[in-house]
Amino acid sequence: MATGFYWDEHCFWHGGGNYAMTLPVGGLVQPIQAGLPENPEAKRRLLNLMRVTGLDRHLSLRSADPATEEELQRVHPRSYLREFRDTSAQGGGELGLRTPFGQGGYEIAALSAGLTRAALFDVLSGEFDSSYALSRPPGHHCLPEFPNGFCLLANIAIAVEAALAEGLVGRVAVLDWDVHHGNGTEAIFYDRAEVLTISMHQERNYPLDTGDAEDRGAGAGLGANMNIPLPPGTGHFGYLAAFDRLVLPALERFRPDVIVVACGFDAGAFDPLARMLASAETFRELTARTRAAAEDLCDGRIVLVHEGGYSEVYVPFCGHAALEALSDAPTRAPDPLANTVAARQPGPRHDRMVDGLISDLEDLFSSP
């Protein structure tokens, strides 16, 4: 069965405002041509690479309708949506932290959420075994009333809430391997037992005050939230060890009906906003292992939703590798920086440190 791939040209037209990297322009901060790191090029170049290699011919490419007002209101209060919509109609602005948008930004964000919703619904309906949503703007940092970290609407949470409300699914696992902590998804489901949230992230990167391993959920959701803060330079084998020893057992205990991945590529070795030394092969392996878990636990139902990743050159190769593993497509886009990334991998001392950290987290997560 084909893999669905959801994208829309309108999402590439989301405007990032007057930023220089993550700093607002002004005073001593000089404008730069690239502006905000969250710009369309990394995602557009992934799509272009897919077309050049022919990978797109092995996927079912489609767009989707925007998320409806009813679907948005299951996550975001009406007051926030009204302010967002009105500001967008008046030419744009910024409502939270590092979340600028231009005119039409509300409609584009709703479309981004709609791509995620469609990718999830079409897997749950059985039309596809797996799917990928090239969503932009991203969503995993967005809180119900406070957009931040380039995220204006909580795409995955909106899709999951819609699926739960329509009775299409009972238990959902959200695995976030974006390099930054998925604080928005965590907050939305923190006291919910039917959604397991797992975030593998560089510790104390963004946000600075969230992502602690001790934050396990609350109330009915106690134990249904797992944070895996990893040290800078974790590298390929550290990521796979964390998946095998921490993520996989959690998925097996929870036994979800579907696995949704917040699929950021900013743990890649050349990302300007992180220092984690992952490679395209890392994302191929993470995707393959998550897909294998889905086949064992939930009839192979798996959805990847594009989040961060800011190296315009490297993200396309990481994304292509993930899609190869997701779809079994025969096309390949060899990583042109594979040897460079391999030479940068951490040494035995760092690997032992990561191993010790994972052991400590195994003890923490196995406790009541």
Side-chain angles (χ1 to χ4, degrees):
M1 192 178 297
T3 295
F5 185 90
Y6 298 77
W7 77 284
D8 196 289
E9 177 66 27
H10 290 89
C11 289
F12 296 151
W13 288 40
H14 166 59
N18 196 14
Y19 269 73
M21 284 294 287
T22 59
L23 297 176
V25 171
L28 299 178
V29 180
Q30 178 180 339
I32 60 175
Q33 184 175 0
L36 203 68
E38 202 294 300
N39 66 70
E41 282 310 294
K43 296 179 175 69
R44 191 186 295 277
R45 288 168 66 104
L46 168 57
L47 187 62
N48 291 344
L49 181 62
M50 291 164 49
R51 287 168 167 162
V52 169
T53 64
L55 175 60
D56 64 325
R57 295 194 292 273
H58 298 276
L59 309 173
S60 180
L61 273 63
R62 57 183 63 183
S63 183
D65 294 328
T68 67
E69 190 77 9
E70 180 182 7
E71 290 168 339
L72 298 179
Q73 286 183 24
R74 291 194 182 104
V75 173
H76 300 286
R78 186 176 302 173
S79 58
Y80 169 64
L81 296 174
R82 184 187 307 114
E83 184 180 13
F84 184 8
R85 183 173 53 247
D86 291 348
T87 305
S88 170
Q90 294 165 11
E94 184 167 8
L95 302 179
L97 177 64
R98 301 189 186 99
T99 56
F101 55 92
Q103 186 168 351
Y106 178 85
E107 289 76 13
I108 294 174
L111 176 57
S112 182
L115 295 175
T116 303
R117 187 258 338 264
L120 176 59
F121 274 44
D122 287 350
V123 165
L124 293 176
S125 72
E127 182 169 359
F128 298 122
D129 286 334
S130 60
S131 64
Y132 192 105
L134 191 64
S135 298
R136 180 176 184 265
H140 74 142
H141 291 309
C142 191
L143 299 164
E145 297 182 74
F146 185 74
N148 67 105
F150 316 143
C151 301
L152 288 155
L153 294 172
N155 298 329
I156 288 175
I158 290 164
V160 169
E161 291 283 29
L164 290 168
E166 296 194 21
L168 300 178
V169 69
R171 296 167 69 81
V172 179
V174 180
L175 167 60
D176 189 331
W177 64 52
D178 186 283
V179 82
H180 306 110
H181 175 233
N183 61 303
T185 313
E186 174 187 274
I188 292 162
F189 296 115
Y190 200 66
D191 59 356
R192 304 272 292 279
E194 69 271 33
V195 180
L196 170 67
T197 49
I198 305 173
S199 178
M200 305 169 68
H201 51 268
Q202 181 180 326
E203 60 180 344
R204 293 292 181 267
N205 185 319
Y206 183 88
L208 297 176
D209 58 349
T210 67
D212 290 340
E214 291 77 11
D215 296 336
R216 304 290 309 284
L222 184 62
N225 186 73
M226 175 183 287
N227 287 321
I228 305 173
L230 298 168
T234 287
H236 176 77
F237 294 106
Y239 263 92
L240 298 187
F243 182 93
D244 290 343
R245 293 166 57 185
L246 300 172
V247 174
L248 184 56
L251 293 173
E252 290 173 340
R253 289 192 298 268
F254 186 74
R255 303 200 68 82
D257 299 319
V258 63
I259 300 173
V260 181
V261 178
C263 183
F265 297 111
D266 34 13
F270 303 96
D271 199 273
L273 299 185
R275 299 292 182 269
M276 292 305 276
L277 298 180
S279 66
E281 188 63 25
T282 308
F283 294 108
R284 183 196 310 278
E285 280 292 327
L286 288 173
T287 303
R289 294 178 191 210
T290 306
R291 183 182 172 193
E295 290 170 352
D296 289 341
L297 299 171
C298 49
D299 296 326
R301 290 188 288 268
I302 177 174
V303 179
L304 271 57
V305 180
H306 200 115
E307 292 283 353
Y310 310 103
S311 171
E312 298 172 9
V313 172
Y314 202 50
V315 163
F317 292 96
C318 295
H320 200 286
L323 281 158
E324 291 169 21
L326 184 67
S327 66
D328 285 334
T331 56
R332 291 293 180 267
D335 179 358
L337 292 166
N339 292 337
T340 302
V341 180
R344 293 183 175 185
Q345 289 302 297
R349 180 180 298 179
H350 192 280
D351 286 342
R352 287 193 297 270
M353 179 186 70
V354 173
D355 181 76
L357 171 63
I358 293 174
S359 294
D360 291 342
L361 292 175
E362 284 179 312
D363 293 339
L364 174 65
F365 296 146
S366 64
S367 62

